Amino acid sequence: MAKKQDMDLQMSGAKVKLGKSDIVIRGAGYILITIYALACIIPFLLIIGTSFTNEAIIHAEGVQLIPKGFSLEAYQMVTKNGNIWKSYILTIVMTGVGTFLGLSIISMTGYALQRKDFPFRNAISFYIYFTSLFSAGLAPYYLLMTQTYHLKDSYLAVLLPLMMSPWLIILMKNFVKAIPHEITESGKIDGAGDMKIFTALILPMLKPALATIGLFLALSYWNEWYQSSLFLSTKVAIKPLQYTLYEVVNKIDALKNSVAGQFVNVVDIPQEGVKMANAVLATGPIILLYPFVQKYFISGITVGAVKG
């Protein structure tokens, strides 16, 4: 009876008086969450502060939360030839296209593998899972992409491998488990085809799953550099953002260690500042994406944890 009254109070919007133990537990929870949030955000603030700090101060005093000797030299060096903005555009396009196509394929695959009337669904599911356990290795993979598919120096060599993965398909399949099969049957009774059932009935119910898997795909495309290092040579003028920033750091390290670098003061080369500026340029835009999908992402992770 008391529980029912508490629920009625909550439903009516009235404030429920908390006991001392509830206040202590909530207070401790807020304190722990605040400490954890600060532990997460302070390193990023240190990176931002250091990226605007003069290189000599970085060498003398280390990283800075508040910039000392304010300097834009690190950012000027990173953006010197203008290729960084072209890499930004390329990465944004690849992230958008790859995420959209990947979500389309993964959602349709996960839904089909969960259909009770889909033949060989268990065998296909096992085949997909089996590919996540074994790999042929780097050499066969490189030969496959360059000799068989002829994707050397092609952006498709970066776009296609990240478009889907066995783990994401299995994750989507677990999400679809939460949708009753009767919804599909009702669509069939109304005369709808498979694609109509999927787009009109199933897809709107998969918003948390689409946000969760879409964020994983977007992060994988945005942070991609390994495929670029394998398949994009110097013949490709514009490379994805992460690999472009990686090349900038390597060029500065090479200059520092070269014969020409012996005639330049090491402090005059903003090596540490460039690394921090690269981190800001690489992570800043993708961080802005998270607030828009946070609601669906959290609910999607919860559904996956319960139903998986």
Side-chain angles (χ1 to χ4, degrees), residues 85-101:
W85 308 121
K86 297 177 182 178
S87 296
Y88 254 111
I89 295 174
L90 173 63
T91 301
I92 291 172
V93 171
M94 292 185 66
T95 300
V97 173
T99 301
F100 175 77
L101 294 177

Side-chain angles (χ1 to χ4, degrees), residues 168-196:
L168 292 180
I169 294 175
I170 294 171
L171 185 61
M172 177 61 75
K173 180 183 174 183
N174 289 334
F175 277 121
V176 181
K177 282 183 181 180
I179 301 177
H181 184 66
E182 287 74 17
I183 294 178
T184 300
E185 296 296 334
S186 66
K188 286 185 176 181
I189 293 174
D190 293 337
D194 290 332
M195 186 57 69
K196 182 66 175 179

Side-chain angles (χ1 to χ4, degrees), residues 62-111:
V63 296
Q64 302 291 322
L65 183 63
I66 300 176
K68 289 184 178 180
F70 187 84
S71 173
L72 294 175
E73 189 176 0
Y75 289 94
Q76 291 172 352
M77 181 163 288
V78 173
T79 60
K80 189 174 183 179
N81 56 8
N83 284 340
I84 186 70
W85 308 121
K86 297 177 182 178
S87 296
Y88 254 111
I89 295 174
L90 173 63
T91 301
I92 291 172
V93 171
M94 292 185 66
T95 300
V97 173
T99 301
F100 175 77
L101 294 177
L103 274 178
S104 302
I105 296 172
I106 291 171
S107 59
M108 287 188 288
T109 304
Y111 170 65

Side-chain angles (χ1 to χ4, degrees), residues 3-267:
K3 290 183 178 179
K4 186 177 183 304
Q5 291 177 350
D6 291 340
M7 291 180 64
D8 292 339
L9 286 172
Q10 291 177 2
M11 293 294 293
S12 64
K15 293 183 179 180
V16 179
K17 187 176 181 179
L18 299 176
K20 292 183 178 180
S21 60
D22 296 326
I23 295 175
V24 171
I25 292 174
R26 288 196 178 188
Y30 288 140
I31 292 173
L32 290 175
I33 292 173
T34 302
I35 293 173
Y36 182 76
L38 290 175
C40 293
I41 196 173
I42 287 177
F44 189 68
L45 295 178
L46 284 172
I47 291 174
I48 296 176
T50 306
S51 67
F52 290 105
T53 300
N54 185 275
E55 187 72 12
I57 296 177
I58 297 176
H59 282 282
E61 302 180 15
V63 296
Q64 302 291 322
L65 183 63
I66 300 176
K68 289 184 178 180
F70 187 84
S71 173
L72 294 175
E73 189 176 0
Y75 289 94
Q76 291 172 352
M77 181 163 288
V78 173
T79 60
K80 189 174 183 179
N81 56 8
N83 284 340
I84 186 70
W85 308 121
K86 297 177 182 178
S87 296
Y88 254 111
I89 295 174
L90 173 63
T91 301
I92 291 172
V93 171
M94 292 185 66
T95 300
V97 173
T99 301
F100 175 77
L101 294 177
L103 274 178
S104 302
I105 296 172
I106 291 171
S107 59
M108 287 188 288
T109 304
Y111 170 65
L113 293 177
Q114 207 46 45
R115 285 276 296 262
K116 295 181 179 180
D117 56 347
F118 182 66
F120 308 112
R121 64 190 183 98
N122 291 330
I124 296 175
S125 297
F126 176 77
Y127 175 76
I128 293 174
Y129 172 71
F130 185 80
T131 60
S132 66
L133 300 178
F134 301 96
S135 173
L138 179 59
Y141 173 65
Y142 183 83
L143 292 175
L144 176 70
M145 296 291 285
T146 57
Q147 303 299 321
T148 304
Y149 297 146
H150 303 288
L151 294 179
K152 179 69 174 176
D153 294 329
S154 171
Y155 292 128
L156 290 176
V158 180
L159 185 69
L160 295 178
L162 301 177
M163 193 171 292
M164 58 189 301
S165 71
W167 180 73
L168 292 180
I169 294 175
I170 294 171
L171 185 61
M172 177 61 75
K173 180 183 174 183
N174 289 334
F175 277 121
V176 181
K177 282 183 181 180
I179 301 177
H181 184 66
E182 287 74 17
I183 294 178
T184 300
E185 296 296 334
S186 66
K188 286 185 176 181
I189 293 174
D190 293 337
D194 290 332
M195 186 57 69
K196 182 66 175 179
I197 292 173
F198 175 72
T199 55
L201 299 179
I202 304 299
L203 207 57
M205 303 179 67
L206 289 177
K207 287 182 180 179
L210 295 175
T212 302
I213 295 177
L215 185 60
F216 288 144
L217 286 171
L219 286 173
S220 64
Y221 277 108
W222 188 267
N223 294 325
E224 201 291 312
W225 67 273
Y226 182 66
Q227 303 287 333
S228 302
S229 67
L230 289 177
F231 304 114
L232 301 183
S233 66
T234 54
K235 295 180 181 179
V236 180
I238 308 301
K239 297 183 177 66
L241 176 64
Q242 304 291 346
Y243 190 67
T244 300
L245 297 176
Y246 171 76
E247 286 185 326
V248 170
V249 174
N250 281 348
K251 288 177 181 178
I252 292 177
D253 289 339
L255 176 62
K256 178 182 176 182
N257 298 323
S258 66
V259 176
Q262 296 178 5
F263 301 96
V264 179
N265 191 348
V266 175
V267 178

